[in-house]
Amino acid sequence: MNPFAAPARRGAWRPDRWGRLVCRAAWDETHDVRSFLLQPEDGSRITHEPGQYLTVRTEGAGVERSYTITSSAAGDRAIIITVKRKPGGVMSGHLHDTLHPGDVVEGFGPAGRFGPATAPAECYLLLSAGSGITPMMAIVRTAADLGIDLDAVFLHAARTEEDLIGAAELAALARRLPRLRVLMVPSRPVNGWAGEKGRLDADALARLVPDCADRTVLCCGPEGFMAAMRVATAALGVPSTGYFEESFDFGVTEGEMAGDSTLPARRITFARSGRSFDCPQGTTILAAAKAAGIAMPSSCARGECGTCKSLKVSGTVTMSATTALRQREIDRGFILPCSSRPETDVVLDR
């Protein structure tokens, strides 16, 4: 079959179950950032909204990690994830070193509710640092491909100019999007950088984006950066309702804490496999499953990624976080075991 020919329509990729993806291409973005083009092995169409992410697992790494989809949402035959190699990072190092064209990984999603599809606005400040640029790249690429008249200031911080991801491409996209202004700001430039430089703070934001208070802010980057930007944008008049952020820098969660041993445990049963285990009251279902030696798909363990999403057949739970679920999924009975504590015995469709 001619790979350039329009393919026959195939079924939709299922975002609520693991599926196989073939790596079709891989390339370096910077010295420690690499992108991978992934295509559903069965030819299904994989759709997403700009700002969503995919959870990936491989046999070799033995862990699951979530990565933002950086490709334009205008296409549905393949997606791109962009991965920064982290010191000691099991999955990022594994993907950088071993994932080549023709290899297969498993993916779950797309998922997530970060981006303009869930935060519609007249104008934006896309504020990022380091690998936090990835959802912003998806937003801008999608706008360019769909002819959306995007009014946005794209302000990105990095350590040096050698760490800037997609600088040349963004300059080209800005020529297609007349109301897009791109500002790359290395904090410690090394090669005679002629543009803006230094650390971003409230003073820098006020100078570079004087109408900051009138823009909806989408922020992504290291936790320290986002904490600083949260304070800085608030000081400049951005309301909390106009500030959104995305992060995969997850710390210790409540779900790992022990439950109340003085209360009777609840029985959790997987309907399809027939496996069951006790869950102390006050403990999440995911934490109890791990303690019982029963594997469940999971990534963030705090209700943000949707990897553990499960259909509840019966029983009652209290969910402390529902970010990764849409209301229609909640109405159908889906829960997030990582943030769900049982009030009764529970049966899940697993």
Side-chain angles (χ1 to χ4, degrees), residues 65-253:
R65 292 292 183 268
S66 297
Y67 298 105
T68 301
I69 299 169
T70 51
S71 49
S72 167
D76 62 2
R77 293 173 64 180
I79 59 171
I80 297 170
I81 60 170
T82 300
V83 180
K84 179 180 176 65
R85 183 194 288 268
K86 295 184 177 181
V90 175
M91 178 62 87
S92 63
H94 179 76
L95 294 177
H96 274 240
D97 295 337
T98 69
L99 184 58
H100 305 294
D103 294 337
V104 174
V105 299
E106 287 189 293
F108 188 98
R113 304 192 65 189
F114 175 80
T118 52
E122 293 296 323
C123 56
Y124 294 93
L125 169 57
L126 308 180
L127 188 55
S128 61
S131 58
I133 196 173
T134 51
M136 314 309 177
M137 292 292 294
I139 292 167
V140 173
R141 286 167 169 163
T142 301
D145 285 348
L146 295 179
I148 297 170
D149 185 19
L150 178 66
D151 182 346
V153 177
F154 191 149
L155 182 55
H156 178 68
R159 183 177 296 110
T160 74
E161 61 268 46
E162 294 177 354
D163 296 299
L164 295 172
I165 300 170
E169 180 186 359
L170 284 169
L173 290 171
R175 292 194 291 271
R176 296 169 57 186
L177 298 166
R179 292 203 291 168
L180 172 67
R181 184 160 65 101
V182 178
L183 296 169
M184 296 287 197
V185 185
S187 60
R188 296 195 295 272
V190 294
N191 295 317
W193 177 259
E196 294 287 342
K197 59 185 177 182
R199 291 196 173 275
L200 293 183
D201 54 21
D203 290 339
L205 282 179
R207 178 172 54 83
L208 297 173
V209 194
D211 62 346
C212 177
D214 298 325
R215 294 180 176 273
T216 292
V217 178
L218 301 179
C219 184
C220 187
E223 288 294 332
F225 170 80
M226 291 196 299
M229 293 301 99
R230 202 178 307 132
V231 172
T233 54
L236 294 174
V238 176
S240 60
T241 55
Y243 179 91
F244 303 87
E245 61 184 35
E246 176 77 307
S247 173
F248 298 117
D249 187 7
F250 302 114
V252 177
T253 67

Side-chain angles (χ1 to χ4, degrees), residues 268-310:
I268 311 299
T269 302
F270 291 173
R272 279 185 281 172
S273 69
R275 304 192 71 177
S276 61
F277 55 93
D278 287 333
C279 181
Q281 292 188 53
T283 298
T284 65
I285 293 174
L286 177 64
K290 287 183 176 180
I294 298 176
M296 290 187 71
S298 66
S299 184
C300 77
R302 61 184 249 181
E304 306 231 3
C305 74
T307 306
C308 67
K309 179 168 57 177
S310 303

